[in-house]
Amino acid sequence: MVLQLYNTLTRKKELFKEIKKGKVTYYFCGPTPYNYVHLGNLRAYIFADLLRRYLKYKGYQVFEVMNFTDVDDKTIKNAKAAKQSLQVYTQKFIDAFIEDFKLLNIELPEKLIKATDHIPEMIDLIKKLEKNGLAYKSEDGSIYFSIKKFKNYGKLALLEKTKLRQNADGRMKNDEYEKEDAKDFALWKAYHKDDGNVFWETKYGKGRPGWHIECSAMSTKYLGDTFDIHGGGVDLIFPHHTNEIAQSEGATNKKFVNYWVHNAHLIVNGEKMSKSKRNFFTLRDLIKKGDDPKAIRYELLSTHYRAQLDFREENLKNLKETLQKFNDFLLMLDDCIEKQKKKKYETNNVVDHLIRDAKEAFENAMDNDLNISEALAAVFTFMHDVNKIKNDLHAFDADKIKTEMQNFDSVLGIMDYERGAIDQKIETKIQERERARKKKDFKKADLIRNELLKQGIILEDTADGARWKKA
Ligand code: AMP
Ligand code: ZN
């Protein structure tokens, strides 16, 4: 089956066809590092991750670029208030963002880049726009993009130009009188004293880039004039992505992006989570309260990306139990691999069928614009069916099933099957405890049990010796 993705550009699900066979060029708008990102932002990056992981599952070689908007009004203002350089101030939040990625098991993009490292590329792009007659200089020295000169302006957001101008008239009268047209946007902002020591000396004078030019310049630098997929939250459709298209296509006269993908918002109490509404919390806030990052990942992941996600912290506890089901299942398989390997092997068609059906159901669901709930249902059905025949499983089959679970998890990123490294340490401790028990040193045995418990390992004494699982 071929992957179908909902393309915002056409408002339709479309078969995905890459530009270069087997390769996907992919850009996802990154955060503005003026503060810690909130859970709404992280929903966007979980979606970005799910898409890249599924593309990889399908065998594509993914090259993903994500940016940090590390220069804008907010970063400048906050750095100034903190009496830090822009670079030092934003780096702290960039580092925190990468930590959040690791905690949520989000794969890092192939390129994670800062806008401030790409000023020359932005200037080059503005030069091209100027050459094509799409940019003009305002009285204060800023450079604007002229939307009336770009014929397809607003296609992504389904905007009509006249309406746009009317809507923007209010703003025209106030702060944006430098522009010829209310909706023209800044490519380059002339220096203002509020910018303090944040400026670049360029062909266009002293100043700093506009927000939209950053993403146009950075995406095309690494992915080419035309690339496969560009994503972000729905709030970016207009004006950000609309303006990116105008700039990039205005400069190259080529199609900028083939597939535009946008995630719906995460909401709390019926409202979009956002910094300005002060209804936000960060990953740190939740982890401090003892919430489990994998359960948070699961909650962010398990609603379809184009549906609003009503985030409820109280769900996390149940989700943790759901995750435990995956892990118990994997432990059962490990046990079977360990204990049934000497059993004579007879081909088990049932297992092969179950695997084939599960795989097919999972892929059909994910191919349908990443239908995550059906994909998860396929995995649950698989586990349920395997559990029914678990006593007849041979190690060889258990191993096959485990491999399939790992394949599913390469997309989901929610299971704990990599026991190898921790296994060794835990096994050593368990043997030490067994020795203590044999010597009737129950004090020491309990001490070891508690020590393991503190590391989140629960011991169960069975007839075959001690078994462990994660708490
Ligand atoms: P920002 O740093 O505000 O540019 O946002 C970074 C990313 O998070 C963008 O793709 C936004 O569209 C996305 N985003 C912001 N708020 C939410 C939300 N409440 N739910 C989902 N995505 C969001
Ligand atoms: Zn962007």
Side-chain angles (χ1 to χ4, degrees), residues 37 55 64 81 95 104 124 135 146 164 213 219 230 271-272 283-285 326 345 460 464-465:
V37 292
L55 288 163
E64 182 190 359
D95 293 343
L104 288 181
D124 282 347
S146 173
L164 244 170
I213 198 78
S219 58
H230 192 315
E271 274 200 299
K272 176 192 170 195
L283 183 59
R284 259 141 253 272
D285 296 335
F326 292 115
Y345 182 65
E460 280 169 6
D464 298 329

Side-chain angles (χ1 to χ4, degrees), residues 422-437 444-453 455 457 459 466 468:
I422 43 168
D423 262 18
Q424 210 53 47
K425 277 191 218 153
I426 295 166
E427 293 297 342
T428 314
K429 281 276 162 207
I430 291 175
Q431 281 161 18
E432 203 182 315
R433 178 170 169 269
E434 290 293 300
R435 281 197 297 274
R437 268 158 57 96
K444 184 169 177 192
D446 283 348
L447 219 68
I448 295 173
R449 173 194 280 277
N450 290 338
E451 194 187 320
L452 286 170
L453 192 62
Q455 296 170 32
I457 306 295
L459 288 188
W468 62 269

Side-chain angles (χ1 to χ4, degrees), residues 27 29 67 211 215 230 236 240-241 244:
Y27 188 89
C29 286
N67 68 298
W211 170 31
C215 285
H230 192 315
L236 298 187
H240 186 50
H241 291 161
E244 273 188 54

Side-chain angles (χ1 to χ4, degrees), residues 268-282:
V268 266
N269 302 323
E271 274 200 299
K272 176 192 170 195
M273 178 177 280
S274 74
K275 296 247 165 72
S276 57
K277 291 206 181 87
R278 296 180 180 275
N279 62 350
F280 70 93
F281 39 87
T282 65

